[in-house]
Amino acid sequence: MAHDKKIIVGNWKMNLNMHEASLYLLQLSKLVKVRRDVEVILAPTVMTLQSLSLQVNLRQFKLAAQNFFWRDHGSYTGEVSASQLRGVVQYALVGHSERRHIFNESDKDMRNKVAAAVRNGIKPILCVGETAWEHANGETKDVLHDQLIGGLANITSEELDQVIVAYEPVWAIGTGQNALPSDVTAAVKVIRKQIEHLYGAKSAEAIQILYGGSVTPDSAADYLSLAGVDGLLVGAASLEAHIFSSIIEKAHKGSSEAEED
Ligand code: PGA
């Protein structure tokens, strides 16, 4: 199923302070028109989220948390819960490779986080992808299977339409090493097949799948044109408003004519 909206996510990671984030949002809002065919999602650090949520025009941009803890409240020093993020963000990244590999988060953490997001009315963007070693050793398919089974274990088929999957090969994140379009198409097919196996053909068709890993304004259109790719998860190239806005424009041009102003 071709989705009528492309999704472009900007993951700022641990960059931009309050002042810079606010200025960025101001700049981006001047550069980007409200488009019916593009959903733009910004994922700032947690400390800037609340002030940005007061500044943002939700018709133009949505907000995402980069991370959260899966319990709703309690004695978890230093953590922020999905229930606290309710009303502040509309989306949340889950299982970004930096969470998995730097902070040792497991598939058990992922499944609890995916469920916590859905329980709190926040759409989880579940990130999956193989390491360079797994890629070189032909293990991509197995890794994607395991991460999907692990991450979605607490999700029913009714809840699955709240979930977005992002294919992010670890070796392509922050490396400037672009994944080949054929690799991306193959991985997206594996993901849909596994969703079909877990939830049936209709769910597999309906689920939105993003690509992420060293996306730039030059490569964005190519990835967006791939069959089965519904959008992009952008890191470094989302940190400057004018660069990110040109990626957003590619998503609009690459889809149907639908403009509001
Ligand atoms: P990158 O990051 O675009 O800088 O490779 C992507 C991501 O981490 O989601």
Side-chain angles (χ1 to χ4, degrees), residues 89-109:
V89 299
Q90 295 71 45
Y91 294 87
L93 301 182
V94 175
H96 187 280
S97 77
E98 286 149 20
R99 301 298 320 167
R100 291 180 191 267
H101 297 290
I102 302 174
F103 299 98
N104 296 321
E105 290 188 5
S106 66
D107 281 326
K108 185 162 174 269
D109 294 314

Side-chain angles (χ1 to χ4, degrees), residues 11 13 96 168 172-174 213-215 233-236:
N11 176 12
K13 309 191 180 184
H96 187 280
E168 295 212 300
I173 297 176
S214 297
V215 173
L233 177 40
V234 185

Side-chain angles (χ1 to χ4, degrees), residues 139-172:
E139 292 188 6
T140 301
K141 195 170 167 182
D142 291 339
V143 170
L144 295 178
H145 279 187
D146 290 351
Q147 291 179 346
L148 288 168
I149 292 172
L152 296 173
N154 293 338
I155 292 298
T156 64
S157 49
E158 290 74 39
E159 291 167 331
L160 191 70
D161 66 354
Q162 301 299 306
V163 180
I164 294 169
V165 174
Y167 171 58
E168 295 212 300
V170 178
W171 48 273

